[in-house]
Amino acid sequence: MAKGMFVDTSICTGCKACQVACKEWNGLEGEPTHFQQTPGAPYPVAFNFTGNSYDNTGALSAMDWRHVRFIEQFNRNRSEARWLFSSDSCKHCNDAGCLNACPTGAIIHTDMGNVVVQDDVCIGCKSCVPSCPFGVIAMSEKTGTVHKCTLCDDRIHNGLGTACAKACPTGSIRFGDVPELKTIADARLAKLKALGETKANIYGYTEAGGLNVFYLFMDRPTVYGQPEHPIVPQQRLPLSTAATVLGAVALGVVGLISFRERGNKKKEDVTK
Amino acid sequence: MNPETHIVNYPWYFVGMYFYISGVSAGAYFIGSIIELYGGGKRSEISRIAFSLALPLILLAPILLIIDLGRPERFWHLFFYTKEGIPYINLQSPMSVGSWGLMVYSAFCLLSFLNTLAANGRLEFAPFAKLYNRLPRKTYAVIGMLASLFVAGYPGVLLNVTAWPLWESTAPLLGPLFIASAGSTGAAAIVLVMARRKMASRDAFVHLEKFDRVSMIIELLIIGAVIVVAGQYAAPILRGFYGVMFWGGTVIMGILIPLGLYWYSSRSNTDRSQLVMLTAILVLFGGALLRISLMQAG
C-alpha cells in the first residue's frame, strides 16, 4: 500500500516544527551561516539566508529536506496583508523524474511507494538534479552524492509515521495510506469551498503522474512556488529521440552526397 | 518555468567540454566511416586522418566525465548495479544508455585507429590484421558510423529530457543541433590537420569543405528553430554574458564568418592553407562555445 502525506496548507501556522523534526530525525546539519560585508550595512550580513522574510532557508536543499515556505503578500502601505504558509518536501512521485534519470539505479521506489536515494550506489553525476520537476533533489558537495526527503524510510518501515507529521501541532501534515488521505483531502476541500474559499485546490492528484505527497492550496500552485503543470521530463524522451534519429539520418544523407565521387567515377572505373 | 527550482549554478564545464570533444571525435569518425563505405579510393587519406583523430579525442571523454562526478571512484556503478551484482542499464536515462554507447563507440575508435596504424605500416602485429579482416571492412564502417551518430546526438536528448527551462523548452531540437555541430566541427578538425600538412589543394579537400558548409547551414537552421521553439525561455542564451557567447561566439564567429571564408577562399587561386586553417579553428571554437553557453545558461 502506497504511503504518503497530505499537507493542508490552510491550517499551517508556519511554526517550522516539521523542519526541526526532520533535521533531528534524519541527523541533517544546519545550513552553515556565511557572513559577508554588504554595502549599506556596517556589520557583516548572513548572505545565504533570506534575511527579508520569516522563511529561513528559502528552498529545499541537500541539508534541508523540509522547507516551510512563507508567502508574505503586503500592499504598499501595508494596510492589507496575506500570509500563506506551505510546508514543502519531496513529493514522492509515482513516475519520478529523478529516478528515471538515474544512470546507476541509486534511486528506487520502495514497497511503500516512497522514492529513496541509496547513498552507497550514487556516484554524484547530478543528472537527477535538473530532472526533478519540483527542484527537490540536491547535490551535497560534502558527501559527493545527492540527498532528499526519504518519507522517513526507516520510520515508516517500522510502523511509525514521518517525523514531520508527528511533530506538526495543527495536523496540517498528515501521514497515512494515500487513498485514505485522499478521502480526508476531498472532504476538507469541500468544506473550504462551502465556506467560500473558491480558489482552494488540491495539488498532486494528477500532476506529474500523481504525487504521493499532495497539498491543499488556498490559491494557485504558482503562488506557493510550485509549477502549475509539472511534467515528468522523460515524457519528452520518445520525441527527442525521434528528432535526433532524424537529424542523424539527415547528416548521413549529407555525408553520402558530399563524399560521392562525381565525374571521377568513370575514370576510376576505367583504371580498375 | 518553475520558481521553486532551486537553481544551483553548477559548473558544467567538464560535461560541456565532454559534449564538445566527443562531438568532434564522433563527427570525424562519421566522415571517416562514410569514406570507408565508398571504398576509400583517393580520399582514404581523409579517413586515415579522421580515425587518427577520433581515438585520442574520445580517450579524453572518460577523464572529463569522471572528474565531474561527486564520487569519481564509483564511476563503474554506471555499468554495474552493486546491490544485485548485475550489469545495469536504464533505458529511460540518456546518461545510462549514453555510457554504454560511448563504450561501444570507443571500441570502434580503437579498432579503426589500430587498422589505420596497420595500413600505414606502423603497427606490425599480424594477428590484428587477421582478426580485423575476418569481417567485411564495411561492417566496421556501418556499425562505427551508427555509434558515432549516437555519441554525437545523445547529449542533446539528455538535456531535452530534464525539467530546467532552457533545456526543456528546446526539446526536441538539441539532439539534431548537436549532431549538426558534431558534423561541422569533425570536418573542421580534419580540415585543420590537412591544411597544416599542406594538403589543402587536393581534390579530396573539396568534398570535406562542402560537407562542412552544408552541416553549418543545417546547424544555423536548427539554431533558428531552437530560438522559435523555446520562445521566452531562450532568453538566457540570447542576452547577457551567454548571449554574447552564443551570438558572437557560436553564430557569428563559429558559423557565419567560416561560411564566408570558405566561400571567399574557394574563389581565390592562391595558397589557401592559411585561410582554411583559420576557418577551421573558428568552427572548432564556435562548437565549443555552443556547448558551453547552452550548458551554463541552462
Side-chain angles (χ1 to χ4, degrees):
Chain A
M1 177 71 79
K3 299 281 184 187
M5 289 191 280
F6 165 49
V7 181
D8 180 354
T9 66
S10 68
I11 51 172
C12 176
T13 61
C15 73
K16 301 194 189 108
C18 50
Q19 264 182 239
V20 176
C22 176
K23 288 234 177 226
E24 289 205 341
W25 182 264
N26 294 299
L28 299 170
E29 287 178 38
E31 202 77 56
T33 317
H34 299 296
F35 290 97
Q36 80 180 11
Q37 292 292 343
T38 315
Y43 42 81
V45 172
F47 67 84
N48 64 329
F49 289 101
T50 55
N52 56 3
S53 164
Y54 285 100
D55 187 329
N56 51 2
T57 65
L60 295 167
S61 76
M63 281 184 262
D64 306 312
W65 295 355
R66 243 205 196 282
H67 161 231
V68 182
R69 182 176 287 278
F70 283 60
I71 299 104
E72 294 138 332
Q73 296 172 327
F74 297 96
N75 65 353
R76 229 187 152 71
N77 62 9
R78 298 177 86 86
S79 58
E80 287 172 53
R82 182 167 74 152
W83 242 10
L84 300 173
F85 315 110
S86 150
S87 185
D88 192 20
S89 71
C90 171
K91 282 115 196 125
H92 297 276
C93 313
N94 289 321
D95 187 8
C98 61
L99 187 152
N100 296 339
C102 181
T104 62
I107 306 178
I108 52 162
H109 264 132
T110 78
D111 56 333
M112 288 185 165
N114 53 330
V115 180
V116 176
V117 184
Q118 305 178 91
D119 193 53
D120 54 344
V121 181
C122 177
I123 60 174
C125 72
K126 302 182 276 285
S127 70
C128 54
V129 175
S131 301
C132 172
F134 307 99
V136 169
I137 197 160
M139 175 82 178
S140 160
E141 296 301 329
K142 196 172 172 188
T143 61
T145 51
V146 290
H147 301 271
K148 68 169 195 67
C149 158
T150 65
L151 201 72
C152 283
D153 193 49
D154 46 355
R155 289 176 65 96
I156 65 173
H157 279 92
N158 288 288
L160 299 167
T162 56
C164 51
K166 186 85 179 167
C168 180
T170 66
S172 166
I173 305 174
R174 281 170 195 261
F175 170 82
D177 293 328
V178 172
E180 265 175 50
L181 291 174
K182 283 188 177 174
T183 332
I184 298 172
D186 291 337
R188 177 70 184 157
L189 181 68
K191 196 169 178 183
L192 284 170
K193 292 254 186 204
L195 288 170
E197 292 286 353
T198 49
K199 279 185 176 174
N201 65 91
I202 290 184
Y203 183 78
Y205 281 0
T206 54
E207 281 78 6
L211 314 174
N212 285 337
V213 176
F214 48 91
Y215 299 79
L216 191 156
F217 287 147
M218 303 299 285
D219 207 333
R220 297 167 68 89
T222 42
V223 172
Y224 290 87
Q226 303 293 354
E228 194 90 36
H229 303 290
I231 295 166
V232 183
Q234 284 75 21
Q235 285 191 359
R236 285 188 293 277
L237 189 59
L239 187 62
S240 297
T241 307
T244 307
V245 169
L246 214 65
V249 170
L251 194 76
V253 171
V254 171
L256 287 173
I257 293 172
S258 306
F259 292 101
R260 194 178 49 193
E261 297 210 48
R262 294 156 303 172
N264 302 339
K265 198 93 185 172
K266 279 178 194 163
K267 283 183 204 163
E268 263 189 296
D269 286 345
V270 172
T271 52
K272 269 176 196 169
Chain B
M1 194 170 286
N2 173 7
E4 169 74 2
T5 303
H6 182 45
I7 300 270
V8 182
N9 250 335
Y10 286 119
W12 296 106
Y13 294 113
F14 288 124
V15 181
M17 282 317 282
Y18 157 69
F19 284 176
Y20 167 62
I21 287 173
S22 63
V24 177
S25 166
Y29 192 99
F30 167 78
I31 292 166
S33 58
I34 287 251
I35 288 164
E36 283 276 287
L37 270 186
Y38 275 132
K42 281 195 290 183
R43 293 156 312 158
S44 53
E45 60 195 6
I46 296 183
S47 60
R48 277 204 294 275
I49 293 172
F51 295 143
S52 338
L53 278 173
L55 180 75
L57 287 174
I58 209 65
L59 286 180
L60 294 172
I63 301 174
L64 290 166
L65 288 177
I66 291 171
I67 289 177
D68 182 66
L69 296 180
R71 299 296 293 260
E73 78 283 5
R74 292 184 185 165
F75 77 91
W76 54 279
H77 289 193
L78 284 165
F79 305 106
F80 199 76
Y81 185 48
T82 45
K83 293 277 169 179
E84 287 171 17
I86 47 167
Y88 185 78
I89 186 165
N90 175 358
L91 293 177
Q92 286 220 69
S93 163
M95 194 179 291
S96 178
V97 180
S99 307
W100 285 99
L102 181 62
M103 197 136 92
V104 172
Y105 170 68
S106 305
F108 277 90
C109 278
L110 180 66
L111 285 177
S112 302
F113 184 80
L114 291 178
N115 183 52
T116 306
L117 284 187
N120 289 349
R122 285 199 232 162
L123 179 78
E124 307 257 342
F125 185 61
F128 172 75
K130 205 174 155 191
L131 276 175
Y132 187 88
N133 292 326
R134 275 221 185 137
L135 288 174
R137 302 178 68 86
K138 287 188 181 176
T139 322
Y140 298 101
V142 170
I143 304 175
M145 179 168 82
L146 294 178
S148 71
L149 287 170
F150 172 84
V151 166
Y154 94 88
V157 179
L158 193 155
L159 294 182
N160 277 163
V161 300
T162 65
W164 280 3
L166 176 66
W167 301 347
E168 168 179 0
S169 60
T170 46
L173 293 172
L174 288 189
L177 176 61
F178 282 16
I179 284 186
S181 170
S184 85
T185 51
I190 301 174
V191 164
L192 186 61
V193 174
M194 289 182 82
R196 256 190 75 88
R197 294 187 189 166
K198 305 279 179 210
M199 291 152 78
S201 53
R202 314 264 175 99
D203 283 353
F205 205 70
V206 179
H207 296 283
L208 209 52
E209 265 189 16
K210 182 180 171 194
F211 176 76
D212 204 0
R213 271 204 312 270
V214 178
S215 19
M216 277 195 288
I217 291 169
I218 295 176
E219 192 181 345
L220 205 57
L221 292 176
I222 301 175
I223 285 178
V226 161
I227 294 170
V228 172
V229 166
Q232 55 166 314
Y233 302 111
I237 48 163
L238 302 184
R239 290 183 215 126
F241 178 65
Y242 297 114
V244 173
M245 199 187 262
F246 183 75
W247 283 122
T250 302
V251 177
I252 297 175
M253 188 190 84
I255 300 176
L256 293 178
I257 293 179
L259 279 175
L261 285 176
Y262 272 142
W263 175 78
Y264 174 78
S265 72
S266 66
R267 310 184 89 215
S268 66
N269 295 321
T270 49
D271 180 31
R272 305 164 52 210
S273 294
Q274 303 267 327
L275 201 56
V276 162
M277 243 155 85
L278 173 71
T279 314
I281 290 171
L282 288 178
V283 173
L284 286 169
F285 264 111
L289 294 179
L290 171 74
R291 308 308 199 287
I292 292 174
S293 58
L294 272 175
M295 294 293 287
Q296 293 299 121

